[in-house]
């Protein structure tokens, strides 16, 4: 039964890979990312160094894989939340709230570990946005486009810029101590997105005098 | 003239320290933070390894010192901008814009270096906010308090949370390609801060029916 055997091997490999990611995240959270070595990771995972190198060439690539996995989980959760709501405005609000709560809970978790945030911040770079992060950005932009058609979103700023604004602003939830505070943050972010009397006035003024 | 001599030594020490910070930032931007060693830093700075260890115990502490220096420069710039404007609303807007532009320019710079963002993101952790970052947060909160007294800021969210919202949201400017886009971002952030008709309605509805 060669097929079953290869499936078993595949499952085993996935299991080892997951264990490597979990071990690395735990070591980094406890001792700090800069002090984690490949030898430590192999030992704590319970595999040989040579085996570890068959999976990953260095600590940095493990950290990246860990991050991709995290964002993948979040993406899945956000898609579920999105698909539960019907109306465009509701969908946008529900996803933004879910995103804020992910950050709020992560922040809470990280405050319990001396080096808890290093892993996340190390890989969190605007210019090398991972594929999964780009998908989150695309999802938000899509929801903004829907809500925009319903007239719920200001039209004086490109949707891609508004999507970036949402993601960055909501990440402030990682420093908030309660879910209630995270929900207040969502209200503030949404207020920034709405077409405001102010912006309409400014737009009208700008149309009259394009100086 | 012992005093002059000690001043000379002090100036020399400051110069070496500055050079160490500059070298480390350049090495990290070029090769990646995880690959930079104390030996490399000493060599590139043109000092001995033993001398380097008299200044800093490890790479991480150099990175922290570099970051403190950067935020210190920014703080100085923001204070200047603040003191040039008169009216509370203007001061808030001017400082938020200056903060957005710092990020926009930094992002631009970082896109030119493979590892340009690592240094900044590595030290950028909510739970271990540095003293200088706390000062930026305090400055924004102070400006919000001023603007709040003038009735320009919503009163349904604590000012500290609004200050965090500002800093996080404006950091989105690091992914924006133009200063015009950074200025649009400031408009969006300000719209989130204003007392909105929406939030007044919601507050009134909530007061009527506190379910």
């Amino acid at each position: 039964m060669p097929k079953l055997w290869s499936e078993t091997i595949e499952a085993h490999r996935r299991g080892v890979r997951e264990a490597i990611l979990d071990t690395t995240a735990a070591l980094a959270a406890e001792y700090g990312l800069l002090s984690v070595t490949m030898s430590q990771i192999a030992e704590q995972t319970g595999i040989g160094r040579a085996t570890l190198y068959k999976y990953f060439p260095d600590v940095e690539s493990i950290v990246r894989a860990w991050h991709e996995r995290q964002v993948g989980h979040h993406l899945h959760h956000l898609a579920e939340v999105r698909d539960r709501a019907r109306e465009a405005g509701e969908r946008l609000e529900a996803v933004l709230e879910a995103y804020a709560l992910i950050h709020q809970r992560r922040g809470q978790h990280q405050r319990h570990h001396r080096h808890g945030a290093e892993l996340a911040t190390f890989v969190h770079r605007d210019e090398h946005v991972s594929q999964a992060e780009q998908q989150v950005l695309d999802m938000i932009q899509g929801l903004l486009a829907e809500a925009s058609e319903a007239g719920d979103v200001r039209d004086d700023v490109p949707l891609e810029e508004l999507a970036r604004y949402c993601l960055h602003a909501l990440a402030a939830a990682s420093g908030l101590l309660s879910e209630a505070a995270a929900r207040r943050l969502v209200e503030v972010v949404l207020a920034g997105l709405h077409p405001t009397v102010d912006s309409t006035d400014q737009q009208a003024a700008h149309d009259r005098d394009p100086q």
Side-chain angles (χ1 to χ4, degrees), chain A residues 186-198:
Chain A
V186 173
E187 289 299 319
V188 173
V189 171
L190 283 169
L193 297 175
H194 289 320
T196 61
V197 183
D198 259 34

Side-chain angles (χ1 to χ4, degrees), chain A residues 25-97:
Chain A
L27 285 170
E30 192 164 351
Y31 303 110
L33 180 58
L34 290 186
S35 79
V36 178
T37 65
M38 290 293 271
S39 303
Q40 266 183 308
I41 293 167
E43 196 191 313
Q44 288 284 317
T45 310
I47 58 178
R49 252 173 67 93
T51 306
L52 176 58
Y53 278 102
K54 280 182 195 154
Y55 285 83
F56 294 103
D58 50 32
V59 176
E60 192 167 336
S61 60
I62 303 177
V63 171
R64 280 188 210 294
W66 170 84
H67 186 243
E68 283 286 309
R69 188 182 69 174
Q70 291 299 101
V71 185
H73 288 330
H74 296 160
L75 197 61
H76 185 77
H77 173 58
L78 294 176
E80 278 183 347
V81 168
R82 178 194 61 195
D83 297 340
R84 274 205 295 270
R86 280 231 180 135
E87 192 255 314
E90 275 172 35
R91 283 153 71 92
L92 177 65
E93 183 165 348
V95 169
L96 295 188
E97 181 174 301

Side-chain angles (χ1 to χ4, degrees), chain A residues 93-146:
Chain A
E93 183 165 348
V95 169
L96 295 188
E97 181 174 301
Y99 189 80
L101 290 176
I102 286 171
H103 277 273
Q104 198 272 326
R105 283 170 201 145
R106 203 182 67 183
Q108 205 105 40
H109 168 79
Q110 286 167 354
R111 277 185 288 277
H112 290 99
H113 297 278
R114 204 182 148 225
H115 299 277
E118 273 175 23
L119 226 57
T121 51
F122 178 72
V123 286
H124 193 261
R125 278 166 281 183
D126 274 325
E127 33 299 307
H128 300 123
V129 176
S130 72
Q131 218 191 321
E133 277 172 328
Q134 186 60 50
Q135 283 177 270
V136 177
L137 202 61
D138 290 345
M139 186 196 290
I140 305 283
Q141 197 174 329
L143 291 166
L144 284 167
E146 277 180 32

